[in-house]
Amino acid sequence: MFRFHKLDKTTSTRCAVCKYFRRRCPPDCIFAPYFPNDNPHKFTCVHRFYGASNISKMLEELPVYLRAELVESLYYEAKCRVQDPVYGCVGIISSLHQQIQVAQTQLAKTQAEISVLNANFVVAQPPSSLDESLVQQNGVDHGLDDPFNTWFY
Amino acid sequence: MGSGSSPCASCKLLRRRCAKDCIFAPYFPPDDPHKFAIVHKVFGASNVSKMLQELPVHQRADAVSSLVYEANARMRDPVYGCVGAISYLQNQVSQLQMQLAVAQAEILCNQMQPEPEVPAIHQSMVDYDTKSLLLAASNTGDFGDQMTQLLSYTSSNNNVMQDPLKKESFWT
């Protein structure tokens, strides 16, 4: 005769947090919606830097619809800290500030170049009255096409 | 700090004796209690202690500074913390790179235009540098490649962690 062992429902549906702490996962477990048991790394990573009680407090302080975003941002910051134990995601912020500075400098330089080119373009244009006089004098077209029709797009 | 001197900010907050070799003492002086309070609130003293113990001494000051920065960011923005700042800065970088690509494309387009036929009387008025630029540009013959490179500038010129920072697929 076989003995059938009933599966403990709470054991099979424990969230990653309760599994980590080897405790029963209650129906209203605050962690359960955000730390499913199929991704134990998420909690271990966040727990390493913030601690379960701090995470719980942070979750409790927020309305339910914002908690998922909170957990994901904590996970992101924790991963950054794993990659860079000294600076964490602050290293990324610093790098972005540098990129912005470089891009702003390059943009200013490029816009100055455009201004110079445009200024030279204006200088290169002969005045319209002189155009007429030249054509009229020689009767020869010196190629003085209207630049605004030919060059601009 | 050790016996006889004022306890560090962390030992003051945690109400314990500040040992001579207190790991927090060099980085959380007693005259700035807020610094440790905020780090303790977000990370917890024991986690901060573990993080510091895992680092060589010469890197701990920087680590504390970054933790303080992250904790402050988290206090200002309890949902996104530093990640909100990263997202904002990433957008700024993308916008600047796009503006730069457009500006550089405009220069190339200007260089692609034929040199105006200026009557002799006006040739001396044309800037020598601009003329040489136009002549050099007209001799290269690879404007198409240059344009393609510039237009793809925004997508290629970024070495930051891309996937987590895109707003649409932020949490992949």
Side-chain angles (χ1 to χ4, degrees):
Chain A
M1 188 121 174
F2 295 102
R3 295 176 85 180
F4 292 97
H5 294 273
K6 273 192 187 172
L7 284 171
D8 183 0
K9 284 187 184 172
T10 57
T11 306
S12 63
T13 57
R14 275 191 302 181
C15 69
V17 179
C18 295
K19 224 172 176 178
Y20 180 90
F21 289 114
R22 295 179 188 180
R23 63 187 186 199
R24 192 179 74 87
C25 190
D28 59 348
C29 173
I30 196 167
F31 299 108
Y34 319 108
F35 295 101
N37 58 12
D38 59 357
N39 188 0
H41 175 263
K42 192 172 175 182
F43 177 71
T44 52
C45 191
V46 178
H47 175 57
R48 179 176 165 186
F49 298 106
Y50 296 96
S53 60
N54 281 345
I55 300 168
S56 173
K57 280 184 216 163
M58 284 192 245
L59 286 169
E60 282 165 4
E61 285 169 7
L62 288 176
V64 174
Y65 72 94
L66 289 174
R67 291 177 184 178
E69 298 285 280
L70 164 71
V71 167
E72 296 305 321
S73 73
L74 291 175
Y75 186 31
Y76 180 79
E77 286 188 24
K79 280 192 289 186
C80 288
R81 186 64 63 176
V82 167
Q83 281 189 359
D84 185 350
V86 181
Y87 298 105
C89 63
V90 176
I92 296 177
I93 291 175
S94 176
S95 166
L96 284 169
H97 275 297
Q98 279 178 3
Q99 286 186 43
I100 286 171
Q101 242 183 342
V102 167
Q104 281 174 336
T105 305
Q106 283 178 341
L107 183 63
K109 192 179 162 192
T110 307
Q111 285 171 339
E113 280 177 32
I114 290 173
S115 300
V116 166
L117 286 174
N118 287 341
N120 289 336
F121 172 78
V122 167
V123 164
Q125 297 312 304
S128 54
S129 56
L130 193 54
D131 294 349
E132 267 181 51
S133 65
L134 283 173
V135 170
Q136 280 167 6
Q137 258 180 359
N138 308 335
V140 176
D141 183 8
H142 288 270
L144 299 168
D145 296 326
D146 183 358
F148 294 95
N149 282 338
T150 320
W151 298 353
F152 277 66
Y153 55 92
Chain B
M1 311 290 156
S3 54
S5 49
S6 177
C8 70
S10 43
C11 293
K12 237 179 179 175
L13 185 78
L14 298 171
R15 294 182 190 177
R16 62 187 192 191
R17 193 178 72 84
C18 191
K20 267 189 199 172
D21 58 351
C22 173
I23 196 166
F24 297 114
Y27 318 107
F28 297 103
D31 57 357
D32 191 0
H34 173 75
K35 192 175 166 186
F36 180 76
I38 200 168
V39 170
H40 176 53
K41 183 173 166 71
V42 175
F43 296 99
S46 59
N47 290 329
V48 174
S49 173
K50 279 184 222 164
M51 284 189 249
L52 290 178
Q53 281 168 5
E54 287 170 4
L55 290 172
V57 175
H58 69 276
Q59 287 182 326
R60 290 178 184 176
D62 283 350
V64 166
S65 296
S66 71
L67 289 172
V68 171
Y69 186 96
E70 281 190 34
N72 274 314
R74 185 60 63 180
M75 296 305 289
R76 276 196 306 270
D77 185 349
V79 181
Y80 296 105
C82 270
V83 176
I86 290 173
S87 177
Y88 173 75
L89 292 171
Q90 180 73 8
N91 280 341
Q92 267 200 307
V93 169
S94 296
Q95 279 179 17
L96 280 169
Q97 287 175 341
M98 254 192 317
Q99 287 173 16
L100 184 59
V102 166
Q104 288 176 334
E106 190 178 334
I107 286 183
L108 267 187
C109 283
N110 285 344
Q111 289 172 347
M112 282 171 77
Q113 290 160 7
E115 188 180 342
E117 286 186 33
V118 191
I121 194 170
H122 290 290
Q123 276 188 347
S124 59
M125 292 168 72
V126 178
D127 181 63
Y128 174 80
D129 287 341
T130 306
K131 280 198 83 166
S132 62
L133 265 175
L134 289 169
L135 286 170
S138 66
N139 286 335
T140 57
D142 62 345
F143 288 118
D145 289 341
Q146 289 183 42
M147 289 291 284
T148 309
Q149 278 175 18
L150 282 174
L151 288 170
S152 65
Y153 182 71
T154 52
S155 59
S156 62
N157 193 27
N158 195 328
N159 58 359
V160 180
M161 290 166 69
Q162 277 290 353
D163 283 348
L165 301 177
K166 284 181 187 169
K167 200 85 180 177
E168 300 79 30
S169 58
F170 206 91
W171 309 122
T172 51

